[in-house]
PDB file of all heavy atoms in Angstrom:
ATOM      1  N   ALA A 639      21.130   5.818-165.353  1.00 96.00           N
ATOM      2  CA  ALA A 639      20.421   4.573-165.642  1.00 96.00           C
ATOM      3  C   ALA A 639      19.638   4.697-166.943  1.00 96.00           C
ATOM      4  O   ALA A 639      19.569   3.754-167.735  1.00 96.00           O
ATOM      5  CB  ALA A 639      19.492   4.224-164.483  1.00 96.00           C
ATOM      6  N   LEU A 640      19.046   5.861-167.194  1.00 97.00           N
ATOM      7  CA  LEU A 640      18.317   6.065-168.439  1.00 97.00           C
ATOM      8  C   LEU A 640      19.256   6.100-169.638  1.00 97.00           C
ATOM      9  O   LEU A 640      18.919   5.634-170.732  1.00 97.00           O
ATOM     10  CB  LEU A 640      17.510   7.368-168.378  1.00 97.00           C
ATOM     11  CG  LEU A 640      16.328   7.404-167.414  1.00 97.00           C
ATOM     12  CD1 LEU A 640      15.655   8.772-167.472  1.00 97.00           C
ATOM     13  CD2 LEU A 640      15.325   6.305-167.721  1.00 97.00           C
ATOM     14  N   ARG A 641      20.462   6.649-169.450  1.00 96.00           N
ATOM     15  CA  ARG A 641      21.408   6.719-170.561  1.00 96.00           C
ATOM     16  C   ARG A 641      21.792   5.333-171.068  1.00 96.00           C
ATOM     17  O   ARG A 641      22.153   5.165-172.238  1.00 96.00           O
ATOM     18  CB  ARG A 641      22.688   7.461-170.137  1.00 96.00           C
ATOM     19  CG  ARG A 641      22.495   8.932-169.896  1.00 96.00           C
ATOM     20  CD  ARG A 641      23.758   9.718-170.156  1.00 96.00           C
ATOM     21  NE  ARG A 641      24.851   9.453-169.268  1.00 96.00           N
ATOM     22  CZ  ARG A 641      25.206  10.212-168.237  1.00 96.00           C
ATOM     23  NH1 ARG A 641      24.503  11.286-167.930  1.00 96.00           N
ATOM     24  NH2 ARG A 641      26.254   9.911-167.519  1.00 96.00           N
ATOM     25  N   ASP A 642      21.716   4.351-170.198  1.00 94.00           N
ATOM     26  CA  ASP A 642      22.082   2.989-170.576  1.00 94.00           C
ATOM     27  C   ASP A 642      20.876   2.148-170.999  1.00 94.00           C
ATOM     28  O   ASP A 642      21.020   0.956-171.278  1.00 94.00           O
ATOM     29  CB  ASP A 642      22.802   2.295-169.415  1.00 94.00           C
ATOM     30  CG  ASP A 642      24.161   2.912-169.125  1.00 94.00           C
ATOM     31  OD1 ASP A 642      24.696   3.589-170.022  1.00 94.00           O
ATOM     32  OD2 ASP A 642      24.678   2.740-168.006  1.00 94.00           O
ATOM     33  N   CYS A 643      19.694   2.750-171.038  1.00 95.00           N
ATOM     34  CA  CYS A 643      18.476   2.031-171.431  1.00 95.00           C
ATOM     35  C   CYS A 643      18.335   2.088-172.940  1.00 95.00           C
ATOM     36  O   CYS A 643      18.202   3.176-173.526  1.00 95.00           O
ATOM     37  CB  CYS A 643      17.258   2.650-170.750  1.00 95.00           C
ATOM     38  SG  CYS A 643      15.699   1.886-171.242  1.00 95.00           S
ATOM     39  N   GLU A 644      18.326   0.938-173.606  1.00 95.00           N
ATOM     40  CA  GLU A 644      18.294   0.878-175.059  1.00 95.00           C
ATOM     41  C   GLU A 644      17.114   0.089-175.615  1.00 95.00           C
ATOM     42  O   GLU A 644      17.013  -0.077-176.831  1.00 95.00           O
ATOM     43  CB  GLU A 644      19.594   0.242-175.574  1.00 95.00           C
ATOM     44  CG  GLU A 644      20.852   0.982-175.156  1.00 95.00           C
ATOM     45  CD  GLU A 644      22.103   0.269-175.619  1.00 95.00           C
ATOM     46  OE1 GLU A 644      22.524  -0.694-174.946  1.00 95.00           O
ATOM     47  OE2 GLU A 644      22.646   0.674-176.653  1.00 95.00           O
ATOM     48  N   ASP A 645      16.235  -0.393-174.759  1.00 96.00           N
ATOM     49  CA  ASP A 645      15.151  -1.261-175.221  1.00 96.00           C
ATOM     50  C   ASP A 645      13.776  -0.624-175.056  1.00 96.00           C
ATOM     51  O   ASP A 645      12.753  -1.305-175.070  1.00 96.00           O
ATOM     52  CB  ASP A 645      15.192  -2.600-174.489  1.00 96.00           C
ATOM     53  CG  ASP A 645      15.041  -2.464-172.977  1.00 96.00           C
ATOM     54  OD1 ASP A 645      14.951  -1.319-172.479  1.00 96.00           O
ATOM     55  OD2 ASP A 645      15.021  -3.500-172.291  1.00 96.00           O
ATOM     56  N   ALA A 646      13.738   0.704-174.881  1.00 98.00           N
ATOM     57  CA  ALA A 646      12.482   1.434-174.791  1.00 98.00           C
ATOM     58  C   ALA A 646      12.719   2.829-175.365  1.00 98.00           C
ATOM     59  O   ALA A 646      13.861   3.240-175.579  1.00 98.00           O
ATOM     60  CB  ALA A 646      11.991   1.505-173.348  1.00 98.00           C
ATOM     61  N   PHE A 647      11.630   3.563-175.618  1.00 98.00           N
ATOM     62  CA  PHE A 647      11.783   4.881-176.210  1.00 98.00           C
ATOM     63  C   PHE A 647      10.559   5.730-175.903  1.00 98.00           C
ATOM     64  O   PHE A 647       9.489   5.210-175.552  1.00 98.00           O
ATOM     65  CB  PHE A 647      11.988   4.790-177.728  1.00 98.00           C
ATOM     66  CG  PHE A 647      10.901   4.061-178.469  1.00 98.00           C
ATOM     67  CD1 PHE A 647       9.814   4.735-179.014  1.00 98.00           C
ATOM     68  CD2 PHE A 647      10.959   2.675-178.631  1.00 98.00           C
ATOM     69  CE1 PHE A 647       8.817   4.062-179.697  1.00 98.00           C
ATOM     70  CE2 PHE A 647       9.971   1.998-179.324  1.00 98.00           C
ATOM     71  CZ  PHE A 647       8.887   2.688-179.860  1.00 98.00           C
ATOM     72  N   LEU A 648      10.730   7.027-176.031  1.00 98.00           N
ATOM     73  CA  LEU A 648       9.640   7.971-175.887  1.00 98.00           C
ATOM     74  C   LEU A 648       9.069   8.283-177.263  1.00 98.00           C
ATOM     75  O   LEU A 648       9.809   8.394-178.242  1.00 98.00           O
ATOM     76  CB  LEU A 648      10.119   9.269-175.240  1.00 98.00           C
ATOM     77  CG  LEU A 648      10.722   9.181-173.840  1.00 98.00           C
ATOM     78  CD1 LEU A 648      11.247  10.540-173.416  1.00 98.00           C
ATOM     79  CD2 LEU A 648       9.698   8.663-172.835  1.00 98.00           C
ATOM     80  N   VAL A 649       7.758   8.452-177.331  1.00 98.00           N
ATOM     81  CA  VAL A 649       7.102   8.984-178.516  1.00 98.00           C
ATOM     82  C   VAL A 649       6.659  10.390-178.142  1.00 98.00           C
ATOM     83  O   VAL A 649       5.725  10.562-177.349  1.00 98.00           O
ATOM     84  CB  VAL A 649       5.907   8.122-178.945  1.00 98.00           C
ATOM     85  CG1 VAL A 649       5.268   8.699-180.212  1.00 98.00           C
ATOM     86  CG2 VAL A 649       6.348   6.685-179.178  1.00 98.00           C
ATOM     87  N   GLY A 650       7.357  11.385-178.684  1.00 98.00           N
ATOM     88  CA  GLY A 650       7.167  12.736-178.200  1.00 98.00           C
ATOM     89  C   GLY A 650       7.575  12.809-176.737  1.00 98.00           C
ATOM     90  O   GLY A 650       8.453  12.067-176.272  1.00 98.00           O
ATOM     91  N   ASP A 651       6.938  13.712-175.993  1.00 97.00           N
ATOM     92  CA  ASP A 651       7.209  13.809-174.552  1.00 97.00           C
ATOM     93  C   ASP A 651       6.209  13.025-173.726  1.00 97.00           C
ATOM     94  O   ASP A 651       6.415  12.842-172.528  1.00 97.00           O
ATOM     95  CB  ASP A 651       7.155  15.286-174.114  1.00 97.00           C
ATOM     96  CG  ASP A 651       8.345  16.081-174.601  1.00 97.00           C
ATOM     97  OD1 ASP A 651       9.436  15.494-174.720  1.00 97.00           O
ATOM     98  OD2 ASP A 651       8.182  17.285-174.870  1.00 97.00           O
ATOM     99  N   ALA A 652       5.121  12.554-174.351  1.00 98.00           N
ATOM    100  CA  ALA A 652       3.986  12.075-173.575  1.00 98.00           C
ATOM    101  C   ALA A 652       3.940  10.574-173.369  1.00 98.00           C
ATOM    102  O   ALA A 652       3.365  10.112-172.391  1.00 98.00           O
ATOM    103  CB  ALA A 652       2.690  12.537-174.239  1.00 98.00           C
ATOM    104  N   LEU A 653       4.518   9.789-174.278  1.00 98.00           N
ATOM    105  CA  LEU A 653       4.350   8.339-174.229  1.00 98.00           C
ATOM    106  C   LEU A 653       5.699   7.644-174.127  1.00 98.00           C
ATOM    107  O   LEU A 653       6.699   8.099-174.701  1.00 98.00           O
ATOM    108  CB  LEU A 653       3.617   7.845-175.474  1.00 98.00           C
ATOM    109  CG  LEU A 653       2.207   8.372-175.701  1.00 98.00           C
ATOM    110  CD1 LEU A 653       1.666   7.899-177.040  1.00 98.00           C
ATOM    111  CD2 LEU A 653       1.275   7.949-174.566  1.00 98.00           C
ATOM    112  N   LEU A 654       5.724   6.522-173.429  1.00 98.00           N
ATOM    113  CA  LEU A 654       6.897   5.667-173.325  1.00 98.00           C
ATOM    114  C   LEU A 654       6.493   4.279-173.824  1.00 98.00           C
ATOM    115  O   LEU A 654       5.530   3.690-173.325  1.00 98.00           O
ATOM    116  CB  LEU A 654       7.409   5.598-171.888  1.00 98.00           C
ATOM    117  CG  LEU A 654       8.758   4.923-171.645  1.00 98.00           C
ATOM    118  CD1 LEU A 654       9.381   5.437-170.335  1.00 98.00           C
ATOM    119  CD2 LEU A 654       8.666   3.402-171.577  1.00 98.00           C
ATOM    120  N   VAL A 655       7.201   3.778-174.822  1.00 98.00           N
ATOM    121  CA  VAL A 655       6.888   2.488-175.442  1.00 98.00           C
ATOM    122  C   VAL A 655       8.004   1.504-175.131  1.00 98.00           C
ATOM    123  O   VAL A 655       9.192   1.824-175.301  1.00 98.00           O
ATOM    124  CB  VAL A 655       6.711   2.634-176.966  1.00 98.00           C
ATOM    125  CG1 VAL A 655       6.450   1.275-177.606  1.00 98.00           C
ATOM    126  CG2 VAL A 655       5.574   3.603-177.274  1.00 98.00           C
TER     127      VAL A 655
END
Side-chain angles (χ1 to χ4, degrees):
L640 292 179
R641 291 208 294 259
D642 293 340
C643 177
E644 301 177 279
D645 60 357
F647 56 93
L648 300 175
V649 181
D651 288 328
L653 299 175
L654 189 156
V655 177

